[in-house]
Amino acid sequence: MRGRALRWAGRAVLGVVLVGLLVVGGTAFRVWQVARADERPAADAIVVLGAAQYHGTPSEIFQARLDKARALHDSGVADVIVTSGGRGVGDTFTEAGAGADWLAERGVPEADLVPVEQGRDTLRSLRAVADEARARGWSDVVIVSDPWHSLRARIMAEDIGLRAATSPTHSGPVVQTRETQFRYILRETAALLYYRLSKEPADQADGLGVR
């Protein structure tokens, strides 16, 4: 009897491990799959998720997102670009404000820019964007972020009530090396699983802009 019980316990543990591997592997595959897509439907707004800025100058990662949003705007995907992200501790500028200034300096009409200057992580930034969208009667958005961040951002946006497509960047520091891409996929897989379990954002990760 004891041997049979041990065998059943071993099988149960193995089953749990296999299910866990399938969940993690399936999530990682979806992060990779959505990262490769580039959706450009007509929308009410293009939403650029914020990243680091330094004294009003967007970081390389943020600039890649902003440049992609500008290209979508120029191609007619939406008339409006929403920049998102609040002010960090000790910062003078918000991410949204720095992003809007950067776009205006490169020819995007200020009337087409809507900075939403709240939120220091993806979920809270998207909640602030959703409030702005509802106030303006918008429902359809195209989210611009890094490739590996796109699935989590889309799921969060849809949970908040937006109809979201994703058009990720395919340039910038986060896609330059396979090592960086692999680290980002692992980090985003963990962050997405954490969000699905808790409905809360993961803590900001080291150097990759994952929030």
Side-chain angles (χ1 to χ4, degrees):
M1 288 291 293
R2 183 178 180 184
R4 184 179 297 176
L6 287 173
R7 285 195 297 274
W8 276 108
R11 290 171 184 170
V13 170
L14 179 60
V16 169
V17 170
L18 288 174
V19 170
L21 289 173
L22 286 171
V23 170
V24 172
T27 302
F29 175 76
R30 283 293 291 150
V31 168
W32 173 83
Q33 186 179 47
V34 172
R36 294 169 61 86
D38 188 3
E39 302 172 321
R40 299 183 176 215
D44 296 313
I46 300 157
V47 176
V48 187
L49 293 179
Q53 57 81 28
Y54 305 104
H55 307 293
T57 300
S59 62
E60 286 186 67
I61 290 174
F62 197 9
Q63 287 183 33
R65 299 180 188 184
L66 294 164
D67 203 40
K68 180 62 178 286
R70 182 177 58 161
L72 295 174
H73 177 267
D74 289 346
S75 67
V77 168
D79 294 332
V80 174
I81 299 176
V82 176
T83 54
S84 69
R87 182 183 291 108
V89 176
D91 284 347
T92 304
F93 296 87
T94 63
E95 293 173 356
D101 289 346
W102 190 92
L103 289 167
E105 289 167 3
R106 284 154 183 80
V108 179
E110 290 190 18
D112 294 352
L113 297 171
V114 178
V116 177
E117 301 178 284
Q118 295 91 40
R120 287 293 299 158
D121 57 64
T122 302
L123 183 59
R124 291 174 178 85
S125 293
L126 284 171
R127 284 174 176 163
V129 169
D131 289 342
E132 184 72 24
R134 280 189 285 269
R136 293 173 178 261
W138 300 338
S139 57
D140 295 280
V141 299
V142 174
I143 296 174
V144 177
S145 189
D146 306 321
W148 328 109
H149 187 210
S150 294
L151 176 60
R152 182 161 61 100
R154 189 179 75 188
I155 288 171
M156 286 178 170
E158 290 172 346
D159 286 351
I160 293 165
L162 296 170
R163 287 195 293 266
T166 57
S167 185
T169 63
H170 289 104
S171 63
V174 298
V175 295
Q176 287 182 352
T177 68
R178 290 188 180 277
E179 179 184 0
T180 301
Q181 293 176 31
F182 182 69
R183 287 176 60 204
Y184 217 132
I185 290 171
L186 288 180
R187 189 56 97 164
E188 274 300 324
T189 297
L192 178 54
L193 289 172
Y194 180 84
Y195 171 72
R196 285 193 181 280
L197 288 171
S198 69
K199 295 302 179 183
E200 292 293 334
D203 292 335
Q204 185 166 338
D206 53 346
L208 291 177
V210 181
R211 300 185 298 179

